[in-house]
Amino acid sequence: MTETSSLHLASRVSQISPSPTMAVMAEAMRLTAEGEDVVDFSAGQPDFPTPEHIKKAGEDAIAQNFTRYTPNPGMPELRQAVADRYREDYGLAFDKSNVIITSGGKHALFGLMLALVDVGDEVVIPTPYWMTFAEQVRLAGGTPVLVATSEEDGFRMTAEIMAPAITDRTRMLLLNFPANPTGAVIGADEVRALGDLALDRDIFFLWDDTYARLMFEPAPSAAFQAVQKKLGDRFLIAGTASKAYAMTGWRIGWAMGPEVVIKACASLQSHMTSNASSISQKAALTALTSDQGPLAEMITEYVWRAKRLREGLLEIPDVRVAMPGGGFYLFPNISAHLRDGETTTDFASELLSEERVAVVPGLAFGHDGYLRTSFACSRERIEEGIVRMQRFFKARAARSSL
Ligand SMILES: Cc1ncc(COP(=O)(O)O)c(C=O)c1O
């Protein structure tokens, strides 16, 4: 075996760090596997199983030997189904030639980065943010430019705060809403203003709509349509079947944009994964074309959970937390409870070791002083988690007053 010291890893690897959310999830899963009773508020995935009719489509695909390569950018019917869903849901005008099917939303985003970001290009990203965005920009050779939003403004990404970050090197504005981890959404006026900003500065407007089908209020569709009309080829979307259809393990996502960009993504994909799993594509086709009713039920349940967890957190003195506009995360401010020099990473690890509650530290999203608490778990687990967290904060307060 080669001595570790003589192994040489490519420099791009040393520029990035592994996903911090995945690390917490892995630790929570390890403890659970050891028989520990962990309340997992770290999960970035629905606790609901994949709906039966979607699973059945996957089973049928196997039974019918639909187990070979598909066309490199995805099955034509699925590409069309994605385009149709955006037309139906938001009135957006995409055709199947504007869609590539990828192995998950993360992969769709990475394809867009590799296709559009050159060495030295800048991508403007509002924070708190999902760190994968910045790492992918770096992997593509670009520079992520982070712009902080504030809790006082509901973590809203406005054209006003983004504009000063745009330079001659800016290639793209990357907006994720409802946002991971804050759940912040952007209203119609702001969507239009951000669209105007992208137009004015001749940059791409990339919307990561991972949690869009889990919005608690109707989406500002007319504003999306107006932005698409104005921006044309500069309007891009990265989406996924993962969250809305409870399909995280199936690994199906998509990128949407002008044909030339989609062809570039397909060319990259042809050398990396060839195509997304044939079986999963069949399942996603059913997810996108069948009755979307179950989504409304999921949203109703998420709203209940969000309200309940928020209520439980607000009972803790000096904790502030807003109601999210969608998705399945709360981002409570617990900064009043941090000791001198203590970070939310220390705090989260104490919470896990003392009370077996897994949360993701705000540091993992570029803002310390907050915790990302996912309510993608059952009502019973939420109640148990509230009891444990309240007990933990109380015990810490008692310890520090000694
Ligand atoms: C903001 C955001 N974008 C994209 C993704 C990618 O999801 P997937 O690769 O499972 O489709 C995630 C997953 O957590 C996310 O939070």
Side-chain angles (χ1 to χ4, degrees):
M1 225 165 131
T2 325
E3 290 235 350
T4 314
S5 59
S6 68
L7 281 178
H8 176 77
L9 297 177
S11 57
R12 74 177 66 84
V13 182
S14 62
Q15 286 162 19
I16 58 160
S17 37
S19 160
T21 39
M22 291 273 180
V24 183
M25 265 171 72
E27 179 60 4
M29 277 158 81
R30 189 189 66 79
L31 287 167
T32 307
E34 281 175 5
E36 298 284 346
D37 173 23
V38 176
V39 173
D40 191 1
F41 285 159
S42 73
Q45 59 182 339
D47 56 314
F48 303 110
T50 306
E52 286 306 321
H53 65 293
I54 300 177
K55 289 199 282 198
K56 172 83 171 41
E59 284 164 15
D60 287 352
I62 298 174
Q64 290 158 14
N65 296 316
F66 193 77
T67 51
R68 300 199 162 89
Y69 295 129
T70 71
N72 154 233
M75 289 159 45
E77 312 88 287
L78 179 56
R79 296 172 75 195
Q80 186 62 54
V82 170
D84 291 346
R85 176 104 329 273
Y86 281 77
R87 190 179 302 272
E88 199 172 310
D89 291 353
Y90 311 118
L92 291 173
F94 289 108
D95 181 58
K96 73 167 178 296
S97 60
N98 303 120
V99 180
I100 178 172
I101 306 300
T102 59
S103 302
K106 219 175 228 184
H107 187 215
L109 283 161
F110 196 36
L112 289 172
M113 294 303 158
L114 291 181
L116 296 171
V117 176
D118 251 324
V119 174
D121 284 352
E122 295 173 355
V123 176
V124 176
I125 305 167
T127 73
Y129 70 121
W130 186 56
M131 282 206 172
T132 294
F133 293 142
E135 301 299 29
Q136 289 193 344
V137 172
R138 280 192 199 100
L139 283 170
T143 306
V145 176
L146 305 178
V147 178
T149 65
S150 73
E151 186 189 341
E152 292 69 38
D153 287 338
F155 295 113
R156 259 184 297 276
M157 315 138 210
T158 63
E160 202 183 343
I161 62 164
M162 308 293 279
I166 298 175
T167 71
D168 290 348
R169 302 305 317 247
T170 307
R171 189 83 169 118
M172 183 188 288
L173 205 54
L174 202 176
L175 302 165
N176 162 229
F177 55 94
N180 176 9
T182 62
V185 292
I186 309 183
D189 289 348
E190 214 48 64
V191 169
R192 286 174 201 269
L194 285 158
D196 286 345
L197 177 65
L199 182 70
D200 183 45
R201 309 301 290 269
D202 195 20
I203 56 176
F204 286 99
F205 178 120
L206 168 56
W207 177 30
D208 175 336
D209 87 330
T210 294
Y211 300 94
R213 283 177 186 76
L214 300 176
M215 263 165 104
F216 299 165
E217 301 285 336
S221 297
F224 293 152
Q225 292 159 26
V227 168
Q228 184 183 40
K229 253 199 203 114
K230 271 194 186 172
L231 278 177
D233 286 353
R234 299 275 167 178
F235 182 59
L236 311 168
I237 294 181
T240 175
S242 288
K243 318 284 175 165
Y245 303 109
M247 292 181 69
T248 47
W250 297 77
R251 309 309 303 133
I252 292 292
W254 46 82
M256 303 170 80
E259 199 172 340
V260 57
V261 173
I262 296 307
K263 276 194 171 148
C265 291
S267 172
L268 288 160
Q269 172 152 288
S270 76
H271 296 295
M272 292 195 283
T273 57
S274 292
N275 55 264
S277 148
S278 59
I279 300 153
S280 300
Q281 287 191 60
K282 279 281 192 187
L285 180 61
T286 294
L288 287 158
T289 53
S290 56
D291 173 27
Q292 302 290 296
L295 260 178
E297 284 163 38
M298 276 191 204
I299 293 172
T300 306
E301 178 60 18
Y302 281 137
V303 171
W304 187 94
R305 295 172 182 185
K307 284 187 178 156
R308 179 67 195 113
L309 182 56
R310 176 166 181 261
E311 203 175 74
L313 289 168
L314 287 175
E315 280 164 16
I316 302 169
D318 301 320
V319 167
R320 291 195 305 265
V321 55
M323 194 52 197
F328 38 68
Y329 308 114
L330 291 182
F331 201 55
N333 182 331
I334 57 118
S335 54
H337 292 265
L338 292 176
R339 304 186 192 104
D340 278 351
E342 190 184 31
T343 65
T344 44
T345 309
D346 307 322
F347 187 95
S349 101
E350 200 177 302
L351 177 61
L352 185 59
S353 74
E354 274 191 28
E355 285 288 357
R356 296 288 187 249
V357 176
V359 296
V360 186
L363 261 188
F365 305 95
H367 282 229
D368 207 13
Y370 299 85
L371 300 176
R372 192 191 74 175
T373 49
S374 159
F375 46 87
C377 52
S378 72
R379 293 186 180 202
E380 181 276 319
R381 291 276 84 186
I382 287 176
E383 296 300 342
E384 177 62 22
I386 291 173
V387 169
R388 292 187 195 186
M389 286 186 79
Q390 292 187 347
R391 189 165 60 208
F392 178 73
F393 277 88
K394 206 166 171 186
R396 269 176 65 101
R399 278 201 298 268
S400 26
S401 66
L402 282 181

